[in-house]
Amino acid sequence: MIVVTGATGNVGRPLVRALAAGGGQVTATSRGISAADVPEGVGHRRADLADAGSLRPVLDGADALFLQSGGAAHALDPRAILDAAEAGGVRRVVLLSSQGVATRPQSASHGLLMRSIEDAVRQSGMEWTILRPGGFASNTYAWAEAVRTTRTVTAPFGDVGLPAVDPVDIAEVAAAALREDGHGGQVYELTGPAPVTPRQQAEAIGEALGEPVRFVEQTPDQARAQMLRFMPEPVVETTLAILGTPTPAERRVSPDVERVLGRAPHAYTAWARRNAAAFR
């Protein structure tokens, strides 16, 4: 049995679908999961990663674990989670980490926090694989309301490109690492096939909708003020640095998706077409 944490998230949902399609036994878990969140025949259990004790009954009898910390990474006790996994019989763990561990190692909100979780996974004694994606294509869901109501995207650094990764590609790499041998001890950096700018993303959404979407460029100060309404200041500053002055490593297109899956990663245009309904 494979346990998928964060099963209602942008990566967890397609991962559960991929594993179920492969015929494996899957248990999907998150704090508020229900039968409506999973494919027919897939088990679901409510549990909170911040409470390792709630995971123990979910992990009992499991062989493999997909560990997604999501936005609650600061509240986790990764060693307690991994102890519960090992006690339940888990022998293989796949961690969704962050590219920032390598590219922003001194950032408290990116590199340092996720590095501590990675270290716990490495020291667990279980076979491990670590996934380090860059920015998600699905981050542009943040534009959905403005696109629906005004056909406008407002964002800073309109012509700075980053190779955003499709969460489906992350999920399929995770499924391979959970099901197949040969991925133990590997760290995979996951990106899209080419850098794409916010301006190009707005154009791609417009093409998917069949009508123009206007791009309005914010100043960094305008973006900072907006982001501070819902993000802590250190996270805002690091995010703006990545978006505005990315390092060469953050701009780099990684070969790892294609190396694992035998196909090129999905372009942002494909993600926009598949998710156009969110912007209508």
Side-chain angles (χ1 to χ4, degrees), residues 152-198:
T152 301
V153 164
T154 303
F157 313 115
D159 298 306
V160 178
L162 291 167
V165 61
D166 189 330
V168 167
D169 290 335
I170 302 171
E172 291 188 10
V173 171
L178 287 162
R179 290 187 300 211
E180 302 168 2
D181 294 332
H183 301 285
Q186 297 295 311
V187 178
Y188 294 130
E189 182 182 352
L190 307 179
T191 72
V196 58
T197 69

Side-chain angles (χ1 to χ4, degrees), residues 42-266:
V42 172
H44 65 281
R45 300 280 295 272
R46 292 189 179 188
D48 188 344
L49 279 174
D51 176 11
S54 71
L55 283 169
R56 287 189 177 274
V58 181
L59 293 165
D60 189 32
D63 304 303
L65 168 67
F66 176 73
L67 179 56
Q68 146 124 291
S69 58
H74 64 282
L76 301 189
D77 181 347
R79 295 188 187 279
I81 294 170
L82 293 164
D83 286 347
E86 194 166 15
V90 171
R91 295 175 287 107
R92 177 176 292 175
V93 58
V94 175
L95 172 68
L96 183 62
S97 183
S98 167
Q99 184 187 58
V101 173
T103 63
R104 306 275 169 170
Q106 299 308 312
S107 166
S109 62
H110 289 66
L112 290 174
L113 178 59
M114 291 309 304
R115 170 65 76 178
S116 68
I117 299 175
E118 284 191 10
D119 288 346
V121 167
R122 284 188 172 92
Q123 295 161 13
S124 68
M126 291 179 280
E127 180 185 295
W128 56 264
T129 306
I130 292 171
L131 311 182
R132 289 179 179 170
F136 288 16
S138 55
N139 289 348
T140 55
Y141 280 140
W143 301 339
E145 183 177 358
V147 173
R148 286 194 299 266
T149 57
T150 66
R151 289 296 188 254
T152 301
V153 164
T154 303
F157 313 115
D159 298 306
V160 178
L162 291 167
V165 61
D166 189 330
V168 167
D169 290 335
I170 302 171
E172 291 188 10
V173 171
L178 287 162
R179 290 187 300 211
E180 302 168 2
D181 294 332
H183 301 285
Q186 297 295 311
V187 178
Y188 294 130
E189 182 182 352
L190 307 179
T191 72
V196 58
T197 69
R199 196 182 306 276
Q200 290 168 332
Q201 289 172 319
E203 292 173 359
I205 293 169
E207 290 173 4
L209 294 174
E211 55 186 287
V213 170
R214 186 168 64 104
F215 181 80
V216 177
E217 185 159 4
Q218 290 177 308
T219 68
D221 285 343
Q222 288 170 332
R224 180 179 292 105
Q226 182 180 22
M227 294 164 72
L228 283 171
R229 296 175 195 162
F230 57 91
M231 295 167 62
E233 184 174 3
V235 178
V236 169
E237 295 305 327
T238 302
T239 301
L240 287 173
I242 294 170
L243 295 176
T245 54
T247 66
E250 287 162 343
R251 292 177 182 266
R252 185 180 80 95
V253 173
S254 169
D256 287 349
V257 169
E258 186 163 7
R259 188 169 69 177
V260 174
L261 300 181
R263 63 160 176 82
H266 295 121

Side-chain angles (χ1 to χ4, degrees), residues 32-43:
I33 198 165
S34 69
D37 295 311
V38 298
E40 186 176 354
V42 172

